[in-house]
Amino acid sequence: MIVLYPRLLPGEADRLFAELHDHPVGTHGTMVANHSPRAVFAATGGRRITRDELDDLRHAILTVAQEQGYPEQPGIAQRHAFDQRVARILHEQSLMVSGEAAQRQVWAFLALVLLPDVCVWRWQANADRRYLADRFKGSDLTRHSLARLWTRAHILHEPTAPEPYGLLDVLGEADLDQIMARRGSIAASSALVRAVVRGHRDDQGAIGAEATSRRILRECLMRLLRLTAFLDVDSMAEPELDHLVRMLRLESRTALQRSMS
């Protein structure tokens, strides 16, 4: 049965986001709750998630944060490890379906009611001591602190692979963002995104330095971006997509080698 999540009303999301700025760093735990009187559920379509289940989800994510140094400020490696593990937890443990995951108010509830302290730790205030609204309110789910992780795991999940979430470990934040940011082309096809990440993973033995690896990936994405303008990737099977990506990576490597010679 589909699990329905609380949806934080927009006015309450605005209020709680403003409240984030009233709390000194390290005190956002006082905002944590597993329910809100200003949250609603979809009227039909499944069962409502229980408060105990929300507590379990919070505990699992908080445990990962603590293992990565919470409440102390995380470094790049800690943030990366947190994102990888929490992406899997959100996709695997939340039992959230795509319809619920597409609701901005669901993610506003998770970030501002259930996990404000963790989200503030992961996405700290900027130099002006302001938090970015996109990371908490869900106005752009590709930038939301938690929604982006669920989406990443959902797209890269391979149910029949020996390690179904293995693709989450292949690329770093910056490189994966290069793929996911192309929402109208490459990232519009989950199968194509998986093919690109598999191609990068399987090609590592033929690549030297990390800088070269990144250049090959980005050159391949540029070539793929041009192709998707007239190529119907949705009609292609995953083996065909894998072959296409391998060919484009070969062309990219050859072009880069020529430019350096």
Side-chain angles (χ1 to χ4, degrees):
M1 179 180 289
I2 292 175
V3 177
L4 303 177
Y5 273 74
R7 303 180 182 190
L8 195 64
L9 296 177
E12 183 68 357
D14 291 340
R15 187 189 72 80
L16 289 177
F17 178 69
E19 186 180 331
L20 285 180
H21 300 84
D22 297 332
H23 288 262
V25 174
T27 65
H28 290 91
T30 59
M31 295 178 62
V32 172
N34 60 12
H35 68 286
S36 168
R38 299 290 294 166
V40 298
F41 289 85
T44 60
R47 70 166 182 87
R48 297 181 178 186
I49 192 168
T50 67
R51 295 185 185 184
D52 286 344
E53 288 173 318
L54 287 170
D55 285 338
D56 289 344
L57 182 62
R58 171 178 166 78
H59 176 73
I61 293 174
L62 179 60
T63 297
V64 175
Q66 290 169 337
E67 290 172 355
Q68 300 307 319
Y70 172 93
E72 300 299 323
Q73 182 174 340
I76 294 175
Q78 292 169 312
R79 292 196 298 268
H80 180 60
F82 173 84
D83 285 355
Q84 285 181 322
R85 293 180 58 191
V86 171
R88 177 170 181 163
I89 289 171
L90 283 170
H91 191 255
E92 197 171 36
Q93 184 173 326
S94 72
L95 303 177
M96 192 181 296
V97 298
S98 299
E100 284 293 283
Q103 302 301 317
R104 293 178 296 176
Q105 294 167 334
V106 166
W107 296 108
F109 174 87
L110 292 178
L112 290 168
V113 178
L114 189 68
L115 292 156
D117 51 342
V118 175
C119 291
V120 163
W121 168 79
R122 174 61 182 86
W123 294 100
Q124 298 172 10
N126 59 23
D128 297 326
R129 298 183 179 180
R130 303 296 300 174
Y131 296 102
L132 295 178
D134 286 348
R135 303 298 188 190
F136 295 87
K137 294 166 62 175
S139 48
D140 181 352
L141 293 184
T142 66
R143 290 171 52 80
H144 189 273
S145 55
L146 301 172
R148 53 189 271 281
L149 300 181
W150 183 95
T151 301
R152 187 180 299 180
H154 185 67
I155 290 175
L156 296 180
H157 184 227
E158 297 181 296
T160 60
E163 175 45 71
Y165 292 96
L167 293 182
L168 284 170
D169 303 332
V170 175
L171 293 173
E173 181 79 14
D175 289 334
L176 192 55
D177 278 349
Q178 288 290 315
I179 302 172
M180 301 302 292
R182 293 170 164 85
R183 286 173 275 178
S185 53
I186 298 173
S189 168
S190 298
L192 181 56
V193 173
R194 290 192 294 273
V196 170
V197 177
R198 280 195 300 266
H200 186 83
R201 176 197 64 192
D202 298 341
D203 199 27
Q204 291 304 294
I207 298 174
E210 180 181 350
T212 304
S213 172
R214 175 168 292 178
R215 290 184 65 187
I216 290 174
L217 173 64
R218 297 192 176 185
E219 177 68 23
C220 177
L221 292 177
M222 290 175 59
R223 293 170 181 268
L224 192 53
L225 191 61
R226 291 193 289 268
L227 276 178
T228 55
F230 58 87
L231 187 66
D232 183 13
V233 295
D234 289 329
S235 67
M236 299 174 67
E238 293 214 10
E240 294 176 298
L241 293 173
D242 287 335
H243 177 74
L244 173 64
V245 170
R246 285 195 299 269
M247 294 302 99
L248 291 178
R249 288 186 65 88
L250 178 59
E251 291 176 9
S252 300
R253 185 186 299 106
T254 301
L256 288 171
Q257 288 172 343
R258 287 175 180 170
S259 68
M260 292 185 292
S261 60

